Amino acid sequence: YVMEASDDCLAKLEMLLLEHPSAFVGEIGLCKCARDVRHHPAGKQAVLQKQRDLFEQQMRLAAKLRRPVTVHCVQQMGPMMDILRSLL
């Protein structure tokens, strides 16, 4: 459902994390098999790119706030590793 993410979803997430200092960022990641990827009218590549962009932004937020994450990855190990390497 990444294509339904609001433009301010990261700001809302940051606000919630600041309100709850012991909260994790949550389960975030990339999934090539998600229903959204297979059936969204924007097409597979658009959805995967949006997933990658949002995942990177969520990881940056987690690092900024020093919060743990749980990562979900299905058939996207290469792109995920590229993103993780870019954060080092």
Side-chain angles (χ1 to χ4, degrees):
Y1 306 100
V2 70
M3 298 304 272
E4 297 171 15
S6 65
D7 291 339
D8 65 342
C9 68
L10 287 167
K12 288 178 180 177
L13 177 59
E14 183 170 8
M15 182 184 67
L16 287 168
L17 290 169
L18 291 172
E19 288 176 8
H20 303 278
S22 61
F24 284 42
V25 170
E27 183 175 345
I28 61 174
L30 306 175
C31 182
K32 194 173 185 177
C33 298
R35 181 174 49 126
D36 217 23
V37 174
R38 297 187 315 255
H39 301 293
H40 198 279
K44 182 177 181 178
Q45 291 308 313
V47 177
L48 290 173
Q49 187 58 54
K50 177 93 175 193
Q51 274 188 14
R52 292 175 189 135
D53 293 344
L54 192 55
F55 174 72
E56 182 174 352
Q57 293 168 357
Q58 290 168 325
M59 287 297 293
R60 288 186 186 285
L61 179 59
K64 173 183 167 184
L65 299 179
R66 302 184 57 79
R67 301 297 178 89
V69 299
T70 301
V71 175
H72 175 90
C73 182
V74 177
Q75 297 180 353
Q76 289 290 289
M77 190 59 72
M80 178 170 286
M81 292 306 297
D82 291 343
I83 292 167
L84 294 176
R85 282 188 203 101
S86 78
L87 299 173
L88 297 176

Coordinates of all heavy atoms in Angstrom, one line a residue:
Y1 N 0.8 -1.2 0.0 CA 0.0 0.0 0.0 C 0.8 1.3 0.0 O 0.4 2.3 0.4 CB -1.0 0.0 1.2 CG -1.8 -1.3 1.2 CD1 -1.5 -2.4 2.0 CD2 -2.9 -1.4 0.3 CE1 -2.2 -3.5 2.0 CE2 -3.6 -2.6 0.3 CZ -3.3 -3.6 1.2 OH -4.1 -4.8 1.1
V2 N 2.1 1.1 -0.4 CA 3.0 2.2 -0.4 C 2.5 3.4 -1.3 O 2.8 4.6 -1.0 CB 4.4 1.8 -0.9 CG1 4.4 1.4 -2.3 CG2 5.4 2.8 -0.6
M3 N 1.8 3.1 -2.3 CA 1.3 4.2 -3.2 C 0.2 5.0 -2.5 O -0.1 6.1 -3.0 CB 0.8 3.6 -4.5 CG 1.9 2.9 -5.3 SD 3.3 3.9 -5.7 CE 2.8 4.6 -7.2
E4 N -0.3 4.6 -1.4 CA -1.3 5.3 -0.7 C -0.7 6.2 0.4 O -1.4 6.9 1.1 CB -2.4 4.4 -0.1 CG -3.1 3.6 -1.2 CD -4.0 2.5 -0.6 OE1 -4.3 2.5 0.6 OE2 -4.5 1.7 -1.4
A5 N 0.6 6.1 0.6 CA 1.3 6.8 1.6 C 1.1 8.3 1.4 O 1.3 8.8 0.3 CB 2.8 6.5 1.7
S6 N 0.7 9.1 2.4 CA 0.5 10.5 2.3 C 1.9 11.2 2.2 O 2.9 10.7 2.6 CB -0.3 11.0 3.5 OG 0.5 10.9 4.7
D7 N 1.9 12.4 1.7 CA 3.1 13.2 1.6 C 3.7 13.5 2.9 O 4.9 13.7 3.0 CB 2.8 14.5 0.8 CG 2.5 14.3 -0.6 OD1 2.8 13.2 -1.2 OD2 1.9 15.2 -1.3
D8 N 2.9 13.5 4.0 CA 3.4 13.9 5.3 C 3.5 12.6 6.2 O 3.7 12.8 7.4 CB 2.5 14.9 5.9 CG 1.1 14.4 6.2 OD1 0.7 13.4 5.6 OD2 0.4 15.1 7.0
C9 N 3.6 11.5 5.6 CA 3.6 10.2 6.4 C 4.9 10.2 7.3 O 4.9 9.7 8.4 CB 3.5 9.0 5.6 SG 4.8 8.6 4.5
L10 N 6.0 10.7 6.7 CA 7.3 10.6 7.5 C 7.2 11.7 8.6 O 7.7 11.4 9.7 CB 8.5 10.9 6.6 CG 8.8 9.7 5.7 CD1 9.8 10.1 4.6 CD2 9.3 8.5 6.5
A11 N 6.7 12.8 8.4 CA 6.5 13.8 9.5 C 5.6 13.3 10.6 O 5.9 13.4 11.8 CB 6.0 15.1 8.9
K12 N 4.6 12.6 10.2 CA 3.7 12.0 11.2 C 4.4 10.9 12.0 O 4.3 10.8 13.2 CB 2.4 11.4 10.6 CG 1.5 12.4 10.1 CD 0.3 11.8 9.4 CE -0.7 12.8 8.9 NZ -1.8 12.2 8.2
L13 N 5.2 10.1 11.3 CA 6.0 9.0 11.9 C 7.0 9.6 12.9 O 7.1 9.2 14.1 CB 6.7 8.1 10.9 CG 7.6 7.0 11.4 CD1 6.8 6.1 12.3 CD2 8.3 6.3 10.3
E14 N 7.7 10.7 12.5 CA 8.6 11.3 13.4 C 7.9 11.8 14.6 O 8.4 11.7 15.8 CB 9.4 12.4 12.7 CG 10.5 13.0 13.5 CD 11.4 14.0 12.8 OE1 11.1 14.3 11.6 OE2 12.4 14.4 13.4
M15 N 6.8 12.5 14.5 CA 6.1 13.0 15.6 C 5.7 11.9 16.6 O 5.9 12.1 17.8 CB 4.8 13.7 15.1 CG 4.0 14.4 16.2 SD 2.5 15.1 15.6 CE 1.5 13.7 15.2
L16 N 5.2 10.8 16.1 CA 4.8 9.7 16.9 C 6.0 9.1 17.6 O 6.0 8.8 18.8 CB 4.1 8.6 16.1 CG 2.7 8.9 15.7 CD1 2.2 7.9 14.6 CD2 1.8 9.0 16.9
L17 N 7.1 9.0 16.9 CA 8.4 8.5 17.6 C 8.9 9.4 18.7 O 9.4 8.9 19.7 CB 9.4 8.2 16.5 CG 9.1 7.1 15.5 CD1 10.1 7.1 14.4 CD2 9.2 5.7 16.3
L18 N 8.8 10.7 18.4 CA 9.2 11.6 19.5 C 8.3 11.6 20.7 O 8.7 11.8 21.8 CB 9.2 13.0 18.9 CG 10.4 13.3 17.9 CD1 10.2 14.6 17.2 CD2 11.7 13.1 18.5
E19 N 7.0 11.3 20.5 CA 6.0 11.2 21.6 C 6.2 9.9 22.4 O 5.8 9.9 23.5 CB 4.6 11.3 21.0 CG 4.2 12.6 20.5 CD 2.8 12.6 19.9 OE1 2.1 11.6 20.0 OE2 2.4 13.6 19.3
H20 N 6.8 8.9 21.7 CA 7.0 7.6 22.3 C 8.5 7.2 22.2 O 8.9 6.5 21.3 CB 6.1 6.6 21.6 CG 4.7 6.9 21.7 ND1 3.9 6.7 22.8 CD2 3.9 7.5 20.8 CE1 2.6 7.1 22.5 NE2 2.6 7.7 21.3
P21 N 9.3 7.7 23.2 CA 10.7 7.5 23.1 C 11.2 6.1 23.0 O 12.4 5.9 22.6 CB 11.3 8.2 24.4 CG 10.1 9.1 24.8 CD 8.9 8.5 24.3
S22 N 10.5 5.1 23.5 CA 10.9 3.7 23.4 C 10.4 3.0 22.2 O 10.6 1.8 22.1 CB 10.6 3.0 24.7 OG 9.2 3.0 24.9
A23 N 9.7 3.6 21.3 CA 9.1 2.9 20.2 C 10.1 2.6 19.1 O 11.0 3.4 18.9 CB 7.9 3.8 19.6
F24 N 9.9 1.5 18.5 CA 10.6 1.1 17.3 C 10.0 1.9 16.1 O 8.9 2.3 16.1 CB 10.5 -0.4 17.0 CG 11.3 -1.3 17.9 CD1 11.4 -1.0 19.3 CD2 11.9 -2.4 17.4 CE1 12.1 -1.9 20.1 CE2 12.6 -3.2 18.2 CZ 12.7 -3.0 19.6
V25 N 10.8 1.9 15.0 CA 10.2 2.5 13.8 C 9.2 1.5 13.2 O 8.2 1.9 12.7 CB 11.3 2.8 12.7 CG1 10.7 3.1 11.4 CG2 12.2 3.9 13.2
G26 N 9.4 0.2 13.4 CA 8.4 -0.8 13.0 C 9.0 -1.7 11.9 O 10.2 -1.7 11.6
E27 N 8.1 -2.4 11.3 CA 8.5 -3.3 10.2 C 8.4 -2.5 8.9 O 7.4 -2.0 8.5 CB 7.6 -4.5 10.1 CG 8.1 -5.4 9.0 CD 7.3 -6.7 8.9 OE1 6.5 -7.0 9.8 OE2 7.4 -7.4 7.8
I28 N 9.6 -2.3 8.3 CA 9.7 -1.6 7.1 C 10.5 -2.4 6.1 O 11.2 -3.3 6.5 CB 10.4 -0.2 7.3 CG1 11.8 -0.3 7.8 CG2 9.5 0.7 8.2 CD1 12.6 1.0 7.9
G29 N 10.4 -2.1 4.8 CA 11.2 -2.9 3.9 C 10.7 -2.8 2.4 O 10.0 -2.0 2.0
L30 N 11.2 -3.8 1.7 CA 10.9 -3.9 0.3 C 10.3 -5.3 0.0 O 10.8 -6.3 0.5 CB 12.2 -3.8 -0.5 CG 13.0 -2.5 -0.2 CD1 14.3 -2.5 -1.0 CD2 12.2 -1.3 -0.6
C31 N 9.3 -5.3 -0.9 CA 8.7 -6.6 -1.2 C 8.3 -6.6 -2.7 O 7.4 -5.8 -3.1 CB 7.5 -6.9 -0.3 SG 6.7 -8.4 -0.7
K32 N 8.9 -7.4 -3.5 CA 8.6 -7.5 -4.9 C 7.3 -8.2 -5.1 O 6.7 -8.1 -6.2 CB 9.8 -8.2 -5.6 CG 9.8 -8.0 -7.1 CD 11.0 -8.6 -7.7 CE 11.1 -8.4 -9.2 NZ 12.3 -8.9 -9.8
C33 N 6.8 -9.0 -4.1 CA 5.7 -9.8 -4.3 C 4.4 -9.2 -3.8 O 3.3 -9.8 -3.9 CB 5.9 -11.2 -3.7 SG 7.2 -12.1 -4.4
A34 N 4.5 -8.0 -3.2 CA 3.3 -7.4 -2.6 C 2.2 -7.2 -3.6 O 2.5 -7.0 -4.8 CB 3.6 -6.1 -1.9
R35 N 1.0 -7.3 -3.2 CA -0.2 -7.1 -4.1 C -0.1 -5.8 -4.8 O -0.4 -5.7 -6.0 CB -1.5 -7.3 -3.3 CG -2.7 -7.1 -4.1 CD -4.0 -7.4 -3.3 NE -4.0 -6.6 -2.1 CZ -5.0 -5.8 -1.7 NH1 -6.0 -5.7 -2.5 NH2 -4.9 -5.2 -0.6
D36 N 0.3 -4.8 -4.1 CA 0.4 -3.4 -4.6 C 1.4 -3.4 -5.8 O 1.1 -2.8 -6.8 CB 1.0 -2.5 -3.6 CG 0.4 -1.1 -3.6 OD1 -0.7 -1.0 -4.1 OD2 1.0 -0.2 -3.1
V37 N 2.4 -4.2 -5.7 CA 3.4 -4.2 -6.8 C 2.9 -4.9 -8.0 O 3.0 -4.4 -9.2 CB 4.7 -5.0 -6.3 CG1 5.7 -5.2 -7.5 CG2 5.4 -4.2 -5.2
R38 N 2.1 -6.0 -7.8 CA 1.6 -6.8 -8.9 C 0.4 -6.1 -9.6 O 0.2 -6.4 -10.8 CB 1.2 -8.1 -8.4 CG 2.4 -8.9 -7.9 CD 2.0 -10.4 -7.5 NE 0.7 -10.4 -6.8 CZ 0.6 -10.7 -5.5 NH1 1.6 -10.9 -4.8 NH2 -0.6 -10.8 -4.9
H39 N -0.3 -5.3 -8.9 CA -1.6 -4.9 -9.5 C -1.9 -3.4 -9.6 O -2.9 -3.0 -10.0 CB -2.8 -5.5 -8.7 CG -2.7 -7.0 -8.7 ND1 -2.9 -7.8 -9.8 CD2 -2.5 -7.9 -7.7 CE1 -2.8 -9.1 -9.5 NE2 -2.6 -9.1 -8.2
H40 N -0.9 -2.6 -9.1 CA -1.2 -1.1 -9.1 C -1.1 -0.6 -10.5 O -0.3 -0.9 -11.3 CB -0.1 -0.4 -8.2 CG -0.6 0.9 -7.8 ND1 -0.5 2.0 -8.7 CD2 -1.2 1.4 -6.7 CE1 -1.0 3.1 -8.1 NE2 -1.4 2.7 -6.9
P41 N -2.1 0.3 -10.9 CA -2.1 0.9 -12.2 C -0.9 1.7 -12.6 O -0.6 1.8 -13.8 CB -3.4 1.9 -12.2 CG -4.0 1.6 -10.9 CD -3.2 0.8 -10.0
A42 N -0.1 2.2 -11.6 CA 1.1 3.0 -11.9 C 2.2 2.0 -12.5 O 3.1 2.5 -13.1 CB 1.6 3.7 -10.7
G43 N 2.0 0.8 -12.3 CA 3.0 -0.2 -12.8 C 4.0 -0.6 -11.7 O 4.3 0.1 -10.8
K44 N 4.6 -1.8 -12.0 CA 5.5 -2.4 -11.1 C 6.7 -1.6 -10.7 O 7.1 -1.4 -9.6 CB 6.0 -3.7 -11.7 CG 6.9 -4.6 -10.9 CD 7.2 -5.9 -11.6 CE 8.1 -6.8 -10.8 NZ 8.3 -8.0 -11.5
Q45 N 7.4 -1.0 -11.7 CA 8.6 -0.2 -11.5 C 8.3 1.0 -10.6 O 9.1 1.4 -9.8 CB 9.3 0.2 -12.8 CG 9.9 -1.0 -13.5 CD 10.8 -1.9 -12.6 OE1 11.6 -1.3 -11.9 NE2 10.6 -3.2 -12.6
A46 N 7.2 1.7 -10.9 CA 6.8 2.9 -10.1 C 6.6 2.5 -8.6 O 7.0 3.3 -7.7 CB 5.5 3.5 -10.7
V47 N 5.9 1.4 -8.4 CA 5.7 1.0 -7.0 C 7.0 0.6 -6.3 O 7.2 1.0 -5.2 CB 4.7 -0.2 -7.0 CG1 4.4 -0.7 -5.5 CG2 3.3 0.2 -7.6
L48 N 7.8 -0.2 -7.0 CA 9.1 -0.6 -6.4 C 10.0 0.6 -6.1 O 10.6 0.7 -5.0 CB 9.8 -1.5 -7.3 CG 9.2 -2.9 -7.4 CD1 9.9 -3.7 -8.5 CD2 9.2 -3.7 -6.1
Q49 N 10.0 1.6 -7.0 CA 10.7 2.8 -6.7 C 10.2 3.6 -5.5 O 11.0 4.1 -4.7 CB 10.8 3.8 -7.9 CG 11.7 4.9 -7.8 CD 13.1 4.5 -7.5 OE1 13.7 3.7 -8.3 NE2 13.7 5.0 -6.4
K50 N 8.9 3.7 -5.4 CA 8.3 4.3 -4.2 C 8.6 3.6 -3.0 O 8.9 4.2 -1.9 CB 6.8 4.4 -4.4 CG 6.0 5.0 -3.3 CD 5.8 6.5 -3.4 CE 4.9 7.0 -2.3 NZ 4.4 8.3 -2.5
Q51 N 8.6 2.2 -3.0 CA 9.0 1.4 -1.9 C 10.4 1.8 -1.5 O 10.7 2.0 -0.3 CB 9.0 -0.1 -2.2 CG 7.7 -0.8 -2.0 CD 7.8 -2.3 -2.2 OE1 8.9 -2.8 -2.2 NE2 6.7 -2.9 -2.3
R52 N 11.3 1.8 -2.4 CA 12.7 2.1 -2.1 C 12.9 3.5 -1.5 O 13.7 3.6 -0.6 CB 13.6 1.9 -3.4 CG 13.6 0.5 -3.9 CD 14.4 0.4 -5.2 NE 14.2 -0.9 -5.8 CZ 13.9 -1.2 -7.0 NH1 13.8 -0.2 -7.9 NH2 13.8 -2.4 -7.4
D53 N 12.3 4.4 -2.1 CA 12.4 5.8 -1.6 C 11.9 5.9 -0.2 O 12.6 6.5 0.7 CB 11.6 6.8 -2.5 CG 12.2 6.9 -3.9 OD1 13.4 6.5 -4.1 OD2 11.5 7.4 -4.8
L54 N 10.7 5.4 0.1 CA 10.2 5.4 1.4 C 11.0 4.6 2.4 O 11.2 5.1 3.6 CB 8.7 4.9 1.4 CG 7.9 5.2 2.7 CD1 7.9 6.7 3.0 CD2 6.5 4.7 2.5
F55 N 11.5 3.5 2.0 CA 12.3 2.7 2.9 C 13.6 3.5 3.3 O 14.0 3.5 4.5 CB 12.7 1.4 2.2 CG 13.7 0.5 3.0 CD1 13.3 -0.1 4.2 CD2 15.0 0.4 2.6 CE1 14.3 -0.8 4.9 CE2 15.9 -0.3 3.3 CZ 15.6 -0.9 4.5
E56 N 14.2 4.1 2.3 CA 15.4 4.9 2.6 C 15.1 6.0 3.6 O 15.9 6.3 4.5 CB 16.0 5.4 1.3 CG 17.3 6.2 1.6 CD 18.0 6.6 0.3 OE1 17.7 6.2 -0.8 OE2 19.0 7.4 0.5
Q57 N 14.0 6.7 3.4 CA 13.6 7.8 4.2 C 13.3 7.3 5.7 O 13.7 8.0 6.6 CB 12.4 8.6 3.7 CG 12.8 9.3 2.4 CD 11.5 9.8 1.6 OE1 10.4 9.5 2.1 NE2 11.8 10.5 0.5
Q58 N 12.7 6.2 5.8 CA 12.4 5.6 7.1 C 13.7 5.2 7.8 O 13.8 5.4 9.0 CB 11.4 4.4 6.9 CG 10.0 4.8 6.5 CD 9.2 3.6 6.1 OE1 9.7 2.6 5.5 NE2 7.9 3.6 6.4
M59 N 14.6 4.6 7.0 CA 15.9 4.2 7.6 C 16.7 5.5 8.1 O 17.3 5.4 9.2 CB 16.7 3.4 6.6 CG 16.2 2.0 6.4 SD 16.3 1.0 7.8 CE 18.0 0.8 8.1
R60 N 16.6 6.5 7.3 CA 17.3 7.8 7.7 C 16.7 8.3 9.0 O 17.4 8.8 9.9 CB 17.3 8.8 6.6 CG 18.2 8.5 5.5 CD 18.2 9.6 4.4 NE 19.0 9.1 3.3 CZ 20.3 9.1 3.2 NH1 21.0 9.4 4.3 NH2 21.0 8.6 2.2
L61 N 15.3 8.3 9.1 CA 14.6 8.7 10.3 C 15.0 7.9 11.5 O 15.3 8.4 12.6 CB 13.1 8.7 10.1 CG 12.3 9.2 11.3 CD1 12.6 10.6 11.7 CD2 10.8 9.0 10.9
A62 N 15.1 6.6 11.3 CA 15.4 5.7 12.4 C 16.9 6.0 12.9 O 17.1 6.0 14.1 CB 15.3 4.2 11.9
A63 N 17.8 6.2 12.0 CA 19.1 6.6 12.3 C 19.2 7.9 13.1 O 19.9 8.0 14.1 CB 20.0 6.6 11.1
K64 N 18.5 8.9 12.6 CA 18.4 10.2 13.2 C 18.0 10.1 14.6 O 18.5 10.8 15.5 CB 17.5 11.1 12.4 CG 17.3 12.5 13.0 CD 16.3 13.2 12.1 CE 15.7 14.5 12.9 NZ 14.7 15.1 12.1
L65 N 16.9 9.3 14.9 CA 16.3 9.2 16.2 C 16.9 8.0 17.0 O 16.5 7.8 18.1 CB 14.8 9.0 16.1 CG 14.1 10.2 15.4 CD1 12.6 9.9 15.4 CD2 14.4 11.5 16.2
R66 N 17.9 7.3 16.4 CA 18.6 6.2 17.0 C 17.5 5.1 17.5 O 17.6 4.7 18.6 CB 19.5 6.7 18.1 CG 20.5 7.7 17.7 CD 21.5 8.1 18.7 NE 22.2 7.0 19.3 CZ 23.3 6.4 18.9 NH1 23.7 6.7 17.7 NH2 23.9 5.4 19.5
R67 N 16.7 4.8 16.6 CA 15.6 3.8 16.9 C 15.8 2.5 16.1 O 16.3 2.6 14.9 CB 14.2 4.3 16.5 CG 13.8 5.6 17.2 CD 13.7 5.4 18.7 NE 13.4 6.7 19.3 CZ 12.2 7.1 19.5 NH1 11.1 6.3 19.2 NH2 12.0 8.2 20.1
P68 N 15.5 1.4 16.7 CA 15.7 0.1 15.9 C 14.5 0.0 14.9 O 13.5 0.6 15.0 CB 15.5 -1.0 17.0 CG 14.9 -0.3 18.2 CD 15.2 1.2 18.1
V69 N 14.8 -0.9 13.9 CA 13.8 -1.2 12.9 C 13.7 -2.7 12.8 O 14.7 -3.4 13.1 CB 14.1 -0.6 11.5 CG1 14.1 0.9 11.6 CG2 15.4 -1.1 11.0
T70 N 12.6 -3.2 12.3 CA 12.5 -4.6 11.8 C 12.4 -4.5 10.3 O 11.5 -3.8 9.8 CB 11.3 -5.2 12.4 OG1 11.4 -5.2 13.8 CG2 11.1 -6.7 12.0
V71 N 13.2 -5.2 9.6 CA 13.3 -5.1 8.1 C 12.6 -6.3 7.5 O 12.9 -7.5 7.9 CB 14.7 -5.0 7.6 CG1 14.8 -5.0 6.1 CG2 15.3 -3.7 8.2
H72 N 11.8 -6.1 6.5 CA 11.1 -7.1 5.7 C 11.7 -7.0 4.3 O 11.7 -5.9 3.7 CB 9.6 -6.8 5.8 CG 8.8 -7.7 4.9 ND1 8.3 -8.8 5.3 CD2 8.4 -7.5 3.6 CE1 7.6 -9.4 4.3 NE2 7.7 -8.6 3.3
C73 N 12.1 -8.1 3.7 CA 12.7 -8.0 2.4 C 12.3 -9.3 1.6 O 12.7 -10.4 2.1 CB 14.2 -7.9 2.4 SG 15.0 -7.7 0.8
V74 N 11.6 -9.1 0.5 CA 11.3 -10.3 -0.3 C 11.7 -10.0 -1.8 O 11.2 -9.0 -2.4 CB 9.7 -10.5 -0.3 CG1 9.4 -11.7 -1.2 CG2 9.3 -10.8 1.1
Q75 N 12.6 -10.8 -2.2 CA 13.2 -10.7 -3.6 C 13.7 -9.3 -4.0 O 13.6 -8.8 -5.1 CB 12.1 -11.1 -4.6 CG 11.7 -12.6 -4.5 CD 10.6 -13.0 -5.4 OE1 10.1 -12.2 -6.2 NE2 10.4 -14.3 -5.5
Q76 N 14.2 -8.6 -3.0 CA 14.8 -7.2 -3.2 C 16.1 -7.0 -2.4 O 16.4 -5.9 -2.1 CB 13.8 -6.2 -2.8 CG 12.6 -6.1 -3.7 CD 12.9 -5.5 -5.0 OE1 13.2 -4.3 -5.1 NE2 13.0 -6.3 -6.0
M77 N 16.8 -8.1 -2.2 CA 18.1 -8.0 -1.4 C 19.1 -7.1 -2.0 O 19.7 -6.3 -1.3 CB 18.7 -9.4 -1.2 CG 19.8 -9.4 -0.2 SD 19.3 -8.9 1.4 CE 18.3 -10.2 2.0
G78 N 19.3 -7.1 -3.3 CA 20.2 -6.2 -4.0 C 19.9 -4.7 -3.8 O 20.7 -4.0 -3.3
P79 N 18.6 -4.3 -4.1 CA 18.3 -2.9 -3.9 C 18.3 -2.5 -2.4 O 18.8 -1.4 -2.0 CB 16.8 -2.8 -4.4 CG 16.8 -3.9 -5.4 CD 17.6 -5.0 -4.9
M80 N 18.0 -3.5 -1.5 CA 18.0 -3.2 -0.1 C 19.5 -2.9 0.4 O 19.7 -2.0 1.1 CB 17.4 -4.3 0.7 CG 17.5 -4.0 2.2 SD 16.5 -5.1 3.2 CE 14.9 -4.4 2.9
M81 N 20.4 -3.8 -0.1 CA 21.8 -3.6 0.3 C 22.3 -2.3 -0.2 O 23.1 -1.7 0.4 CB 22.6 -4.9 -0.1 CG 22.2 -6.1 0.6 SD 22.3 -6.0 2.4 CE 24.0 -5.6 2.7
D82 N 21.9 -2.0 -1.4 CA 22.4 -0.7 -2.0 C 21.9 0.5 -1.1 O 22.7 1.4 -0.9 CB 21.8 -0.5 -3.4 CG 22.4 -1.4 -4.4 OD1 23.5 -2.0 -4.2 OD2 21.8 -1.6 -5.5
I83 N 20.7 0.4 -0.7 CA 20.2 1.5 0.2 C 21.0 1.5 1.5 O 21.4 2.6 2.0 CB 18.7 1.4 0.4 CG1 17.9 1.6 -0.9 CG2 18.2 2.3 1.5 CD1 16.5 1.2 -0.9
L84 N 21.1 0.3 2.1 CA 21.8 0.3 3.4 C 23.3 0.8 3.3 O 23.8 1.5 4.1 CB 21.8 -1.2 4.0 CG 20.4 -1.7 4.3 CD1 20.4 -3.1 4.8 CD2 19.7 -0.8 5.4
R85 N 23.9 0.4 2.2 CA 25.3 0.9 2.0 C 25.4 2.4 1.8 O 26.3 3.0 2.3 CB 25.9 0.2 0.8 CG 26.4 -1.2 1.0 CD 27.2 -1.7 -0.2 NE 27.1 -3.2 -0.2 CZ 26.3 -3.9 -1.0 NH1 25.5 -3.4 -1.8 NH2 26.3 -5.2 -0.8
S86 N 24.3 2.9 1.2 CA 24.3 4.4 1.0 C 24.2 5.2 2.3 O 24.5 6.4 2.4 CB 23.2 4.8 0.0 OG 21.9 4.8 0.7
L87 N 23.7 4.5 3.3 CA 23.5 5.1 4.6 C 24.7 5.1 5.5 O 24.7 5.8 6.6 CB 22.3 4.4 5.4 CG 21.0 4.5 4.7 CD1 20.0 3.6 5.4 CD2 20.5 5.9 4.6
L88 N 25.7 4.3 5.1 CA 26.9 4.2 6.0 C 27.8 5.5 5.8 O 27.9 6.1 4.9 CB 27.7 3.0 5.6 CG 27.0 1.7 5.8 CD1 27.8 0.5 5.3 CD2 26.7 1.5 7.3

